[in-house]
Amino acid sequence: MAQETMQFRTEVKQLLDLMIHSLYSHKEVFLRELISNASDAIDKLRYEALTREDLLEGEADYRIRLIPNRAAGTLTVRDNGIGMSREEAVEELGTIAHSGTKEFLAALREKKPEERSELIGQFGVGFYSSFMVADRVTVLSRRAGEPPERGVRWESSADGSFTVEDVEKPARGTDVILHLTEEGRKFLEEWEIRRIVKAYSDFIEHPVVMDVEKKKESELQKGETYTVTEEETLNSRKAIWLKKKSEVSEEEYADFYRHLSHDTGAPARVIHYRAEGATEFRALLYIPEHLPLGILFKEFEAGPMLYVKRVQIMPHCPELLPPYLRFVRGVVDSADLPLNISREMLQHNRQAEVMKRNITKKILDALAGMKREEYEKYARVFRELGRVLKEGIYVEPSRREALADLMLYESTARGAGEYTDLEGYVRNMKEGQKDIYYITAASREEALRSPYLESFSAGGYEVLVMLDEIDDIITSALGQYKGKTFRSVLKGELDLGEKEKKEEAARTYGKLVALLKETLSDRVKDVRLSGRLTDSACCLVSGEGELDPATLSLLKAMGQQVPEEKRILEINPDHPLLRAMQARFEKNSADPALKEYAGLLYEQALVLAGRLPGDPAAFVKAMAALMAEALGTRGAGAGETRD
C-alpha cells in the first residue's frame, strides 16, 4: 500500500503542543517511557506465545536494544516484542483512546513542570514524550507471526499529521527512531544513557542492552590496547520481590516503587512478604503518600502486576485487590496459578480469592501499624487516601470494624487540620452520652457556623466533622462503633437530656405548631419543637434513616433519579420570634399574618440549609414588608402607625 498522510486527532495535537512547549523539566523520562512500552510489548508476546508458539518465529531471546548514532543524530529503542500491524500503528500512535482525555489535558496544564512527567506515565501516553527531545520520530514495526513484507513505517514531525506506509521488516517487533533536536543530542552520550536506565529502568525484567566500546590489553603486544565493541546489559534485572527483605535496601525499594508508579517520591509504606501454605505467592506492595494522579480518570488501571512463575500475565490485576485499595501499587508473583489464566478465570478461581483476602489483610494491617507507630505520617497519608479507603466500609461489611479503626475525623473539639479517631471519640464522650454525633458539610467553616450545632456546643458535646460527600452513606453503613450508634445532627429528633423543658414547651406551643403544620403541609413532612437550636429560630432536618442533602446532591450529580423528600421543620421555642408568634396567636388565632409568617419561617430555614427560597422575589418582598412593619409604617398613611 502506498504512503498515506493522515491527521492526528485534535487531542493528540494539543498533547504534542504541551509536550514540546511546556514540559521543561525531566525530559529524560522519554527513555523511561519508551523502554517501558518495549517491555510491555515483550510481555504481550510472551503471554500470547503460551498458546501460539509460532509467534516466536524461532527466537525467544527477548531484549530491548538502545542504538545511539552520533553521526545521524538518532537514538533507536528496539524491541523484539509483539509489534504492530499497519492498522494498529494508525490507531495506537495517531489517537488517544481514552474518554478522559480532556480531563487529562486540563490536569496536565495545571500541573507544575516537575509534576507532569508523573501524570504522563500514569495515563499511558508515554510514546508522545519522544517529541520533547526529537523533532521527528520514525516507527518501524511488524506484528509477530506476520510475513516480513507486512511491516509498517510510521513517521511524524509533530506538525499535526503523520505518514504511514508498508515496508519490509525481517524481524518482528518495533523500532522507535528518535531524530534528536540539538538540545536532545546529549542523550546520545553513553554515560547519560546508563544513568537514565539505572534511575528509571533498572528493574525491567528484560535485558536493556547497548553496544559499547571497550579497551582491552593486547595479548600479543604487552602494554598496548585495542578497542572492541561489545554488547552490554545496562539494567540489573533484579526481581526484588523474589529476594528476602533483609537483602533489599530502602533505596532499592524506593527505586522499584518509582519504576512502578511513575511517582517521583518515596512510598509511605512497603509491604514485602511471602505467603506459604495451601496457596503460595510472593508480594511486594506499596502504599503511596499521595493519591495517584491517574486515579482521577476512568481509565485508571488498579491492581498489582501479576506474575506467574516470573512471567508477567497482567500489568494490572484488579481482581487481587478490593476497589477501596486501588491506590496500592506492587507486584504479586504466584507459583500456583496457571500460566494461561485470564481475568474471567481469576474471578472464579479459589486460589485467587484466597490471595485477595490475604493481600487485603496485609495492607489493612500495614495501615494500622502506621497509624499506631507513625501517627503524624499516617494523618498525612489519610488526608490523601482516606476518601477512597472509607469506601470499604460500604462495600465490604466483613472488614467494617478494621476499617473503622483506620478512620480519622476532624471534630468540634479540635483545631483545624487536627484529627481524632473513633476510639478517641468514644473514650472522651460525656457521661451518659449514648450516641456518636456527626455533621456533614462541604467545609469545616460551614460546619462550625451551622445552626444544627448550637445545642451541642452549648452542652459541651463533641461532634465529628465529616467533609466528604460520601460520608453520610458510609457512616450509615457503619451504623455503630463499639456499641455506640452514629447520629447525624442534621437528621432525626435529638434528645440532649432536657425532657421536662421540652414537655413544657409542647404544652405552650402545641396549638401554634398545629397551625404551622397545617399551613406548611405541602412543603414539609412535619413541624416540631427543636432540641438542637439555641440561637436560631428554625431549621430543616431529614428524617432518621434518610439521606442528607449533600448525599442527595451527589446522587443527582451522578445522574441518578432521586425523588424529592419533604423535610421536617424544627422551631426553637426559646427564640424571640417564636415567642412573638405565640403571643400573636393567643391574641387572634385566625390572624392571616400568622400563615405569612409560617411561610417566611420555612424560607428562612431553607436559607440556613444553604438553599435558595422557593420564590426568592416573594421572600425578599415579604421580608421588606416585615421590616416596614417593625418600623411602624406597613399599611399606614403619612404620620400614622399600625397596631
Side-chain angles (χ1 to χ4, degrees), residues 22 155 182 191 198 203 380 445 447 471 481 626:
S22 302
E155 187 169 275
E182 197 63 40
W191 66 269
K198 178 68 177 175
F203 299 103
R380 294 195 305 271
E445 293 72 24
D471 276 326
Y481 179 80
L626 277 177

Side-chain angles (χ1 to χ4, degrees), residues 376-395:
E376 294 300 324
K377 182 178 185 179
Y378 179 78
R380 294 195 305 271
V381 171
F382 185 84
R383 191 178 292 119
E384 290 279 328
L385 311 180
R387 188 191 184 284
V388 176
L389 183 63
K390 66 181 61 169
E391 293 172 12
I393 291 174
Y394 186 82
V395 302

Side-chain angles (χ1 to χ4, degrees), residues 55-334:
L55 293 178
L56 296 177
E57 302 177 6
E59 182 197 7
D61 185 17
Y62 303 109
R63 59 190 52 234
I64 301 164
R65 182 176 294 278
L66 306 182
I67 309 171
N69 186 326
R70 290 183 179 83
T74 62
L75 176 63
T76 300
V77 180
R78 172 179 294 164
D79 69 72
N80 56 353
I82 193 69
M84 291 180 287
S85 65
R86 181 184 180 115
E87 293 73 22
E88 288 170 330
V90 170
E91 179 62 26
E92 295 186 24
L93 304 181
T95 65
I96 304 177
H98 298 289
S99 61
T101 301
K102 289 183 180 179
E103 292 82 355
F104 164 68
L105 290 169
L108 193 63
R109 292 188 184 97
E110 292 169 5
K111 290 292 174 185
K112 296 176 182 177
E114 62 268 21
E115 296 173 333
R116 289 171 179 155
S117 61
E118 178 186 348
L119 191 59
I120 292 165
Q122 289 180 339
F123 200 69
V125 293
F127 168 75
Y128 301 106
S129 63
S130 304
F131 290 99
M132 292 192 295
V133 297
D135 49 25
R136 180 161 55 98
V137 176
T138 304
V139 178
L140 302 175
S141 191
R142 175 172 68 79
R143 208 176 203 287
E146 295 291 330
E149 62 271 17
R150 294 292 296 274
V152 60
R153 175 189 175 96
W154 181 101
E155 187 169 275
S156 177
S157 299
D159 55 359
S161 66
F162 60 90
T163 61
V164 61
E165 62 181 315
D166 293 336
V167 295
E168 184 164 328
K169 188 175 186 300
R172 67 164 192 263
T174 301
D175 292 8
V176 179
I177 306 166
L178 309 183
H179 303 267
L180 298 170
T181 62
E182 197 63 40
E183 182 187 358
R185 292 198 174 207
K186 67 180 181 180
F187 297 112
L188 294 173
E189 298 295 334
E190 180 185 318
W191 66 269
E192 182 74 353
I193 293 172
R194 286 180 182 275
R195 182 187 67 80
I196 297 170
V197 171
K198 178 68 177 175
Y200 295 109
S201 307
D202 199 42
F203 299 103
I204 291 285
E205 183 183 358
H206 313 294
V208 179
V209 303
M210 182 171 68
D211 288 341
V212 297
E213 291 185 349
K214 293 184 178 181
K215 287 187 176 181
K216 291 193 173 184
E217 287 191 11
S218 173
E219 296 178 359
L220 300 176
Q221 299 291 331
K222 191 174 181 180
E224 292 188 10
T225 60
Y226 62 99
T227 302
V228 296
T229 300
E230 292 182 349
E231 178 182 285
E232 184 177 331
T233 299
L234 305 181
N235 58 324
S236 66
R237 304 176 62 197
K238 296 176 184 175
I240 66 173
W241 63 88
L242 299 178
K243 292 185 174 185
K244 296 178 181 178
K245 290 174 65 174
S246 59
E247 297 174 351
V248 186
S249 68
E250 287 188 17
E251 188 56 35
E252 285 179 307
Y253 278 133
D255 285 345
F256 189 57
Y257 167 72
R258 286 188 279 267
H259 163 68
L260 284 177
S261 66
H262 302 283
D263 195 351
T264 54
R269 199 80 162 187
V270 178
I271 307 166
H272 186 189
Y273 72 103
R274 177 178 180 175
E276 297 178 325
T279 299
E280 293 190 2
F281 63 91
R282 293 176 183 265
L284 174 56
L285 306 166
Y286 296 96
I287 298 171
E289 281 206 348
H290 307 285
L291 198 66
L293 295 172
I295 210 169
L296 303 174
F297 303 104
K298 295 177 183 177
E299 295 80 8
F300 181 74
E301 294 181 295
M305 297 169 67
L306 174 62
Y307 280 74
V308 176
K309 301 178 182 69
R310 288 198 66 179
V311 176
Q312 190 193 99
I313 304 301
M314 298 175 195
H316 300 281
C317 186
E319 289 77 13
L320 292 180
L321 277 181
Y324 62 88
L325 295 178
R326 58 187 177 273
F327 49 78
V328 173
R329 287 300 194 213
V331 176
V332 174
D333 195 332
S334 170

